[in-house]
Amino acid sequence: MKEVFERLFGKRETRLFFAPGRINLIGEHTDYNGGHVFPATITYGTYALAAKREDRQVNLYSMNFEEKGVISFSLDELEFDQAHDWANYPKGMIRYLQSDDRKMDTGFDVVYYGNIPNGAGLSSSASIEIVTGVMLESLFGWELDRIEMVKIGQKVENEFMGVNSGIMDQFAIGMGKKGAGILLDCNTLEFDYAQLELEEEQVIIMNTNKRRELSESKYNERRESCDHAVEQLQKELSIQTLGELTEEEFEAYKHLIECDTVRKRAKHAVYENRRTLQALEALKEGYLEQFGELMNASHVSLREDYEVTGKELDTLVEAAWQQEGVIGARMTGAGFGGCAIAIVKADYVDDFLQQVGELYEEKIGYEATFYVADIGDGARELQKDEVIV
Ligand code: GLA
């Protein structure tokens, strides 16, 4: 990265920042429903090597999108610009982070590099947002509350990029901890770390390599269905979100929801929220098998009721379920393609990769890609010798 920086922007004193990607262990499509999620940060992520300038120009370059070249704009022109492509994520952060007590007196030059598989549902976009946040905070010496930064990341996604996503991704990436998952109550933003004591198991990420077509519009559509369900339940219940309901309450009032599809979507949100809390309990008690069963049930609910899995994710997860040594497997992230995860006993991992790989290719016609997920720390400044490229 250093050579690229020097070639583009000259020899300067630089600083290096990193923000990871995330997996979600359980609690899918619950964040915008005021429910719980249980994500963890991985060691793949986005690096940013940066130095301040003397003028008000911002120059951004990504080693992942070399063909786009250096994207430049002034600190005084921070509008969304289609032509700026990937750089709209950092641009949105630059725009929304500025406030009366957070000023940028100069522009800056940045080289980004990410090793999160792109568009795979591991939050490469939240990772670039948060690495930009951490970088600006340090370059300009602000005292910025991390949760506030997380909320600004979500605002960029919602208002600048037009994706109506919840807070899970930015929260996980901003707050992640090595070896731990984060149980987050998305209603109150109360959170708790839970150690993932996986001594004899590994978390495997399985990428369908399917492009997530129309995923944003389908995502927004699911969200609307849930809002619709809340409106109908409000005829008799004083709730603001589906996350406030127990399964029993839902069963007693679900007749208020007229449309079958909307009722199924709401059912998923309510039951998934409960499953997430049960999963955390199981983990704390050391009942990993039970945790795995809840992961499997989560996938079934996402397949049958929320309908966000699709053939590729189902093929991967169902192939995983058939293998020996598998504790649990499910899709992770928004769905509609992207990645699934499996917890697999370490001794069985080699066979698992081979068998699941073969079954997938046979049925889908192209390969899946597998990664071992190490759970690493959240966004931070790195030492120079931690550069990986
Ligand atoms: C995407 C969104 C998150 C969350 C998940 C589904 O990753 O960015 O806010 O809604 O989908 O759980």
Side-chain angles (χ1 to χ4, degrees):
M1 287 181 92
K2 186 91 187 156
E3 293 81 71
V4 176
F5 189 97
E6 286 180 3
R7 175 165 59 77
L8 295 170
F9 306 122
K11 229 180 162 62
R12 305 240 294 283
E13 196 54 44
T14 51
R15 289 169 74 177
L16 179 67
F17 304 89
F18 174 77
R22 64 101 191 88
I23 51 172
N24 187 19
L25 293 156
I26 191 162
E28 213 67 82
H29 289 280
T30 45
D31 60 350
Y32 53 83
N33 282 309
H36 293 78
V37 292
F38 190 43
T41 36
I42 55 181
T43 48
Y44 295 99
T46 312
Y47 295 79
L49 189 67
K52 280 197 195 177
R53 297 173 56 86
E54 309 268 293
D55 56 12
R56 291 184 65 76
Q57 168 109 348
V58 176
N59 293 319
L60 308 177
Y61 181 82
S62 167
M63 291 168 65
N64 299 78
F65 300 102
E66 288 176 346
E67 68 287 359
K68 304 275 176 203
V70 176
I71 296 177
S72 305
F73 48 87
S74 148
L75 275 178
D76 306 308
E77 290 160 27
L78 298 173
E79 297 302 318
F80 178 90
D81 183 344
Q82 198 73 43
H84 286 172
D85 201 71
W86 67 270
N88 281 301
Y89 290 104
K91 197 181 192 183
M93 287 302 282
I94 299 167
R95 173 166 167 171
Y96 293 143
L97 274 167
Q98 293 196 76
S99 70
D100 288 346
D101 8 308
R102 290 194 299 264
K103 298 237 185 294
M104 295 175 204
D105 46 0
T106 65
F108 38 89
D109 297 326
V110 192
V111 170
Y112 289 94
Y113 169 75
N115 57 10
I116 307 175
N118 218 329
L122 302 175
S123 287
S124 54
S125 68
S127 173
I128 190 168
E129 286 154 14
I130 301 298
V131 79
T132 304
V134 173
M135 169 190 91
L136 295 174
E137 172 188 43
S138 307
L139 287 184
F140 294 101
W142 301 328
E143 302 243 331
L144 174 56
D145 176 51
R146 191 50 75 92
I147 309 243
E148 192 181 345
M149 185 196 294
V150 161
K151 288 184 182 161
I152 291 173
Q154 188 193 7
K155 183 171 167 189
V156 168
E157 207 72 57
N158 296 170
E159 292 176 21
F160 208 70
M161 307 305 296
V163 183
N164 228 345
S165 51
I167 199 156
M168 168 170 76
D169 302 347
Q170 290 80 6
F171 198 99
I173 291 168
M175 303 294 290
K177 229 186 212 176
K178 194 174 163 66
I182 312 177
L183 183 84
L184 171 66
D185 178 337
C186 300
N187 217 359
T188 59
L189 293 192
E190 273 170 42
F191 64 99
D192 199 4
Y193 294 102
Q195 218 48 46
L196 296 170
E197 276 151 16
L198 301 178
E199 274 135 32
E200 288 157 22
E201 299 82 13
Q202 287 182 344
V203 181
I204 306 293
I205 299 174
M206 312 184 275
N207 189 351
T208 59
N209 288 324
K210 178 189 187 246
R211 287 193 25 223
R212 293 185 305 162
E213 284 146 17
L214 292 177
S215 63
E216 284 161 17
S217 60
K218 287 189 197 155
Y219 182 94
N220 288 347
E221 215 176 271
R222 293 297 182 281
R223 222 188 140 144
E224 276 165 30
S225 294
C226 292
D227 292 344
H228 204 56
V230 171
E231 275 165 33
Q232 296 190 320
L233 290 166
Q234 280 169 341
K235 282 186 261 174
E236 290 186 28
L237 292 170
S238 61
I239 54 161
Q240 299 306 317
T241 64
L242 293 170
E244 293 163 49
L245 294 177
T246 62
E247 294 103 316
E248 293 73 23
E249 284 163 339
F250 177 75
E251 292 301 330
Y253 290 94
K254 66 179 184 194
H255 60 273
L256 295 171
I257 306 172
E258 282 154 26
C259 165
D260 290 346
T261 307
V262 172
R263 200 179 312 117
K264 282 205 298 185
R265 306 292 189 251
K267 178 181 176 204
H268 167 77
V270 172
Y271 279 69
E272 179 77 354
N273 185 35
R274 292 286 133 183
R275 265 193 293 275
T276 307
L277 293 169
Q278 288 163 3
L280 186 83
E281 279 312 303
L283 195 69
K284 282 192 171 157
E285 302 289 329
Y287 299 141
L288 196 59
E289 300 284 335
Q290 201 183 328
F291 187 89
E293 280 163 24
L294 289 159
M295 287 175 73
N296 299 349
S298 163
H299 186 85
V300 172
S301 175
L302 288 156
R303 185 182 70 194
E304 303 297 320
D305 290 334
Y306 220 64
E307 297 181 276
V308 292
T309 56
K311 187 171 166 205
E312 294 78 7
L313 279 168
D314 288 337
T315 301
L316 265 185
V317 169
E318 286 159 24
W321 288 342
Q322 290 168 25
Q323 307 308 314
E324 244 185 290
V326 173
I327 307 285
R330 60 182 290 279
M331 57 155 266
T332 193
F336 314 107
C339 287
I341 51 167
I343 301 182
V344 185
K345 291 196 178 134
D347 293 346
Y348 292 88
V349 166
D350 288 346
D351 286 348
F352 173 91
L353 298 181
Q354 200 192 333
Q355 298 288 335
V356 176
E358 275 174 20
L359 284 168
Y360 185 79
E361 197 174 347
E362 218 167 83
K363 189 146 172 202
I364 303 296
Y366 54 84
E367 282 180 15
T369 319
F370 299 89
Y371 313 83
V372 174
D374 284 320
I375 308 304
D377 279 320
R380 62 200 185 273
E381 180 162 11
L382 297 181
Q383 299 310 312
K384 290 268 161 39
D385 54 6
E386 291 180 81
V387 191
I388 53 140
V389 277

